[in-house]
Amino acid sequence: MKSLSIALCLLVTGSIFAQETPKTEENKSSEKTNELKEVTIYGNKKQHLKVESDKTTINVRDNAMLNSGSSLEAVKKIPGVITSPTGTITLNSKGVTIYIDGAPSSLSGTDLQNYLSTLPANAIEKVELIYNPGASFDADASGSIINIVTSTKRKKGLNASFNINYNFNKYQKPSPQILLNGKVKDLSWQTMLGYNYIDSESNNRNDQTFTSFSPEENLYQKNLAKFTNRNLYFRTGTNYKLNEKSNLLFNYNLNLGNDRIVNESSTTGTGIDFSNNGHSKMKNSVNELSLQYRTKLDTLGRTFDITAYSNFFNRNPNTISTGQNNGESTFFNGKIDFNLANYYLKYDFSIPFNKFNFSINTGGKFNYIKVEDKGIYNLNTASNSVVDFDYDETNLAFYVEARKKIKKFNFTAGLRFEDYKVDRIAIQEGDETKVNFKNTNFFPNVSAMYEINENMNLSASYSKKIQQADYNVLDPNNFANFDQYNTSQGNPFLDPTFFDNFELKLNAFQFVSLGGNYTIAKDINRFIINAEPGELVSNQTFQQFDKTKTLSFFASFPVPLDYFFKSKEEFKKRMNNMDNMNYIFFNVNYIKATTEGYDFSFKNKPIWNYSAQAQFILPWGIKNSMSYFILPKGTWEIYQITKPIQQFDISFNKEFMNKNLKIGLHCFDVFNTNEINALVSSTNLETKFYQKPDTRTFRISLTYNFGDLSLKKENTEINIEKNQSGGGFMK
């Protein structure tokens, strides 16, 4: 701890050195001008990360550690982002809502993760981590938002980029892609076409104790799943400059998937010897369209932004399996037809009063989601078992948010009105379950920031949020396992969860963040594995718990190695370009969760998470990037981590041909240590869970840029706040 304190002190000293510029009248004028521009991680300094009071911005496009592979891989490597044992993503212990270009994704669960796995990381300009979102964001954001901002830079003429990631371990995983963009007069455009062919596998084991029996019964289950994911994606967008103040943006994204899963499983216990072989084929498609109009209304800074967005998603998994249960033949067939449609319309209006250091933002939103899912199943019988699920959600919202600066204080207060109407109907074996939910509520948020000096600020915030139970946790057709001893289904009776979020944070020098948050969640939903009394069948589902209180602390800070090993002048020079700096960036999280309405069979212990990212500039212009994380033993939500989860990645990147050709060599999970060992305790069942995906992967990445690269870059983007932007590939 003492050494870390010394490093932080040296960092502060180094930052002061880097910013020692005499303040002439010209400099003062320049600073005033910069203050009026949109907050961005670019400018005179080329930075990979910028910490602000309300968000942290990560540069992905120019970050060799993040810009190869998929968007999901990039997000998981970001400081403060933790992937839970159940696969969900959290940010500083709080739940996450994924936004893409300012619009919330209508997909959830594995559908969302699969979609992010097909979105290439090199299509991302930056990622914004919004820790405690205000009234301008949907109330249906449990605690924090990760906004993925896709590429915005355009050049005159025609430009192209060819990229291929060749991944391999025991499987081959090629991913070629071509990107075209350009600008003709007032029209800029961009088109991306790519294909992924990914083979992978996951080895799972469950050691289960059924406690309702006397004596207790035990089942030992093994499953080896081999995945083949093939998808073709096409993303295009245009940005038309109507006049000096207005832009019109149109985007269309298409994703076509053709996936296959092959399973080999077995179950053994007292008098039980069961084996099963199955395969599942699934075709899926995503169609997204968005239209956005953005304008400056006058020279005073008033802006208006309106966005229309629609998303259509379908998947059709078809599963066939056969097995032997103590010598008797068994079989299971399952066929699902899933369709989702989402229509989204919002507007945002910003009114600044610069004379009084005061501004008002207001806006509204209408959102409609419809899900239809029909499953037909045969478990050891020719008779069909039919499950129908319908989900309709209508959401109307309006908000107002005011900002005021008084000397060194910045205050924000907002209020969001949300009207929800959610209808769910589940029909199983002729039995109808109908749940109608209506909620009209106000969701306030307040925050205050004190500017300690030019480089440090202290902020505190509160927000009230809601999280609707999405189709992924409600749908009874949501199955992953189905045989004599395993079922998996959603729970259509789940209620929405309400959150009270409190946060206190200290930011320094655009890189250092130290703080804590406290969240009270009422009627929270958790993944659980339970069993009915007297039955040797485990059921994977979701269960509601009365209340969860989560206390967490976090710290993020860099150690600039060049301060110790380079001259003062060289260090000051490299501070202006992170691409040429040697550094290590540390992130530490402490999380303690208390769940009411749940009896732990183990001691509830707080859990820590440690991560580090490093960059080293080697001879011959080779850039070495490394990242490491470890989630030690402890209690994560309601799950006991019995063995640390950890991973170490390393990359080497080199640029050629005047930076037009980039080649990278990467190894992920070098020591093959990323596996999950957890204990899940529930009604009548205790499960020791083990999962080992094939995370150790080697990658060769190649990017070649060609076209009219010498022509001047232009950007027709209207500079308005990013939290008012929305929907689509182009900005």
Side-chain angles (χ1 to χ4, degrees):
M1 183 60 71
K2 183 177 180 181
S3 61
L4 291 181
S5 300
I6 295 173
L8 282 173
C9 291
L10 291 172
L11 169 64
V12 172
T13 304
S15 298
I16 293 173
F17 286 158
Q19 298 175 31
E20 282 182 348
T21 305
K23 292 194 175 182
T24 64
E25 291 302 316
E26 281 188 10
N27 289 334
K28 289 181 180 180
S29 175
S30 175
E31 289 171 5
K32 290 290 184 181
T33 302
N34 289 335
E35 287 175 1
L36 297 177
K37 292 182 179 179
E38 176 192 354
V39 176
T40 175
I41 60 175
Y42 309 106
N44 294 330
K45 290 186 177 182
K46 188 174 183 181
Q47 301 173 355
H48 287 169
L49 176 139
K50 184 174 182 180
V51 177
E52 300 170 80
S53 60
D54 59 342
K55 68 180 178 182
T56 295
T57 307
I58 311 289
N59 178 359
V60 175
R61 184 173 60 91
D62 297 321
N63 191 331
M65 193 179 301
L66 302 177
N67 62 14
S68 72
S70 70
S71 298
L72 183 62
E73 292 174 339
V75 167
K76 287 183 176 181
K77 291 180 182 179
I78 290 174
V81 173
I82 305 173
T83 304
S84 76
T86 60
T88 58
I89 294 174
T90 65
L91 178 61
N92 287 339
S93 82
K94 294 192 292 187
V96 164
T97 300
I98 297 293
Y99 277 51
I100 299 178
D101 288 321
S105 173
S106 57
L107 302 181
S108 66
T110 54
D111 292 333
L112 177 58
Q113 294 206 18
N114 290 337
Y115 178 75
L116 293 178
S117 295
T118 64
L119 176 63
N122 64 353
I124 302 175
E125 186 78 16
K126 58 187 176 181
V127 172
E128 296 173 338
L129 311 178
I130 304 166
Y131 301 102
N132 212 354
S136 59
F137 293 94
D138 287 5
D140 193 9
S142 57
S144 54
I145 288 174
I146 295 180
N147 182 31
I148 298 173
V149 181
T150 55
S151 181
T152 63
K153 300 298 181 183
R154 305 290 177 267
K155 297 179 181 180
K156 281 186 176 181
L158 175 64
N159 302 277
S161 173
F162 173 76
N163 178 77
I164 183 169
N165 288 321
Y166 180 71
N167 303 277
F168 61 94
N169 41 30
K170 63 186 293 186
Y171 301 103
Q172 312 300 311
K173 312 175 184 186
S175 298
Q177 170 209 106
I178 188 166
L179 172 67
L180 303 173
N181 68 71
K183 182 178 182 295
V184 180
K185 295 183 179 180
D186 292 328
L187 177 68
S188 63
W189 58 274
Q190 180 164 295
T191 296
M192 177 182 291
L193 177 67
Y195 181 74
N196 295 312
Y197 192 113
I198 307 297
D199 286 329
S200 60
E201 69 178 32
S202 179
N203 194 352
N204 303 328
R205 295 196 300 266
N206 286 341
D207 188 354
Q208 298 182 310
T209 302
F210 293 79
T211 57
S212 66
F213 291 86
S214 183
E216 295 177 343
E217 292 283 348
N218 292 278
L219 289 182
Y220 183 70
Q221 305 195 51
K222 295 191 297 183
N223 179 271
L224 175 62
K226 299 180 180 179
F227 306 90
T228 298
N229 301 105
R230 293 164 290 185
N231 77 285
L232 174 73
Y233 57 88
F234 173 76
R235 304 174 65 84
T236 188
T238 60
N239 185 340
Y240 183 68
K241 186 176 180 180
L242 300 173
N243 52 51
E244 291 302 318
K245 296 181 179 180
S246 303
N247 279 34
L248 184 67
L249 302 91
F250 171 77
N251 304 272
Y252 173 68
N253 304 320
L254 171 67
N255 193 301
L256 301 175
N258 187 0
D259 303 331
R260 182 177 68 243
I261 305 174
V262 178
N263 286 285
E264 300 174 7
S265 62
S266 65
T267 301
T268 57
T270 305
I272 296 174
D273 185 6
F274 174 73
S275 62
N276 189 58
N277 294 313
H279 68 270
S280 176
K281 295 182 179 180
M282 180 176 69
K283 292 187 177 181
N284 59 81
S285 66
V286 179
N287 286 269
E288 296 176 322
L289 300 101
S290 71
L291 184 66
Q292 184 179 29
Y293 173 71
R294 310 170 65 182
T295 185
K296 285 182 176 180
L297 299 178
D298 51 38
T299 59
L300 299 177
R302 289 189 296 178
T303 60
F304 179 72
D305 181 5
I306 185 168
T307 301
Y309 168 83
S310 61
N311 177 34
F312 305 95
F313 171 68
N314 70 77
R315 52 179 163 84
N316 307 99
N318 189 356
T319 302
I320 299 175
S321 65
T322 58
Q324 292 285 322
N325 187 25
N326 293 330
E328 295 185 5
S329 297
T330 64
F331 69 91
F332 168 74
N333 299 326
K335 184 180 292 186
I336 286 179
D337 184 16
F338 176 95
N339 293 279
L340 177 148
N342 176 217
Y343 304 93
Y344 180 93
L345 179 68
K346 77 163 187 171
Y347 72 91
D348 298 280
F349 186 36
S350 177
I351 310 172
F353 300 90
N354 297 326
K355 183 177 179 180
F356 305 101
N357 287 325
F358 179 73
S359 66
I360 293 178
N361 298 325
T362 185
K365 182 199 77 169
F366 174 79
N367 188 47
Y368 176 71
I369 299 176
K370 182 171 182 60
V371 174
E372 295 177 332
D373 194 9
K374 182 177 182 179
I376 302 175
Y377 309 99
N378 307 97
L379 179 60
N380 300 323
T381 178
S383 300
N384 290 338
S385 174
V386 181
V387 177
D388 269 314
F389 176 72
D390 290 326
Y391 176 91
D392 284 88
E393 176 186 324
T394 303
N395 175 217
L396 181 66
F398 301 96
Y399 77 90
V400 61
E401 192 170 58
R403 301 172 184 266
K404 173 66 176 175
K405 179 176 175 62
I406 304 175
K407 295 183 178 180
K408 290 190 174 184
F409 287 94
N410 292 271
F411 298 98
T412 301
L415 187 65
R416 189 176 182 93
F417 167 82
E418 295 267 3
D419 179 71
Y420 285 100
K421 184 178 183 296
V422 182
D423 297 326
R424 321 164 190 164
I425 300 177
I427 304 175
Q428 299 173 274
E429 302 294 339
D431 296 329
E432 181 177 289
T433 299
K434 191 172 184 179
V435 179
N436 297 326
F437 171 78
K438 294 183 179 180
N439 179 268
T440 300
N441 214 330
F442 290 93
F443 297 89
N445 72 281
V446 292
S447 66
M449 183 184 73
Y450 176 70
E451 299 174 355
I452 299 172
N453 56 41
E454 184 181 359
N455 298 305
M456 299 178 66
N457 63 72
L458 180 67
S459 61
S461 62
Y462 163 78
S463 67
K464 184 177 181 65
K465 298 293 181 181
I466 186 175
Q467 184 179 44
Q468 295 286 347
D470 59 63
Y471 70 86
N472 184 66
V473 302
L474 297 169
D475 188 357
N477 289 297
N478 180 19
F479 75 92
N481 269 330
F482 206 118
D483 56 41
Q484 282 86 323
Y485 304 101
N486 296 278
T487 65
S488 178
Q489 59 186 356
N491 182 354
F493 295 100
L494 297 175
D495 292 326
T497 305
F498 289 88
F499 296 85
D500 290 287
N501 300 307
F502 304 85
E503 183 172 87
L504 180 67
K505 184 166 63 171
L506 175 68
N507 298 309
F509 301 100
Q510 300 183 2
F511 299 105
V512 179
S513 178
L514 177 67
N517 54 59
Y518 181 66
T519 298
I520 302 173
K522 298 178 182 178
D523 296 326
I524 195 165
N525 303 319
R526 298 295 191 207
F527 171 80
I528 200 77
I529 307 176
N530 57 25
E532 294 294 327
E535 293 187 6
L536 284 175
V537 180
S538 67
N539 180 38
Q540 300 181 24
T541 187
F542 295 86
Q543 182 177 329
Q544 202 134 41
F545 297 95
D546 298 338
K547 184 183 292 185
T548 295
K549 300 176 181 178
T550 305
L551 174 67
S552 70
F553 299 98
F554 55 88
S556 300
F557 56 92
V559 174
L561 301 178
D562 289 335
Y563 181 84
F564 304 98
F565 303 113
K566 302 292 181 180
S567 66
K568 178 180 175 181
E569 289 301 319
E570 180 65 19
F571 172 68
K572 290 170 62 177
K573 184 192 305 180
R574 295 193 178 196
M575 279 293 291
N576 289 323
N577 190 344
M578 294 295 290
D579 274 350
N580 297 326
M581 174 167 279
N582 298 286
Y583 64 87
I584 304 176
F585 192 90
F586 293 97
N587 188 86
V588 181
N589 294 83
Y590 167 89
I591 305 166
K592 179 175 176 58
T594 304
T595 301
E596 298 179 9
Y598 179 78
D599 295 325
F600 290 91
S601 64
F602 44 82
K603 186 177 180 181
N604 186 5
K605 297 180 179 179
I607 198 166
W608 292 80
N609 181 75
Y610 307 93
S611 66
Q613 292 82 32
Q615 175 177 283
F616 301 99
I617 307 302
L618 304 180
W620 305 295
I622 298 174
K623 186 183 299 179
N624 172 220
S625 303
M626 293 185 285
S627 65
Y628 174 74
F629 78 85
I630 180 170
L631 186 69
K633 295 179 181 179
T635 305
W636 179 275
E637 296 174 349
I638 60 173
Y639 320 107
Q640 181 74 7
I641 308 300
T642 57
K643 183 179 179 180
I645 304 171
Q646 55 186 319
Q647 179 169 322
F648 174 69
D649 303 333
I650 187 168
S651 299
F652 297 91
N653 295 273
K654 168 72 174 172
E655 296 178 335
F656 302 90
M657 300 172 61
N658 196 26
K659 298 186 178 181
N660 290 332
L661 176 64
K662 300 178 182 180
I663 297 177
L665 302 176
H666 318 263
C667 181
F668 304 98
D669 196 13
V670 175
F671 302 108
N672 203 27
T673 53
N674 191 344
E675 62 183 47
I676 299 173
N677 294 267
L679 176 63
V680 184
S681 181
S682 61
T683 305
N684 305 320
L685 183 64
E686 188 172 280
T687 301
K688 295 178 181 178
F689 176 81
Y690 167 84
Q691 182 182 63
K692 180 67 184 83
D694 62 338
T695 47
R696 181 158 64 183
T697 304
F698 302 91
R699 173 181 298 159
I700 301 174
S701 63
L702 182 149
T703 300
Y704 179 61
N705 301 308
F706 54 96
D708 299 331
L709 300 175
S710 61
L711 294 179
K712 181 181 177 181
K713 288 185 179 181
E714 291 196 9
N715 188 3
T716 57
E717 181 176 4
I718 298 296
N719 289 328
I720 64 174
E721 291 185 358
K722 283 298 178 186
N723 61 20
Q724 297 176 6
S725 63
F729 180 48
M730 296 187 83
K731 297 286 290 173

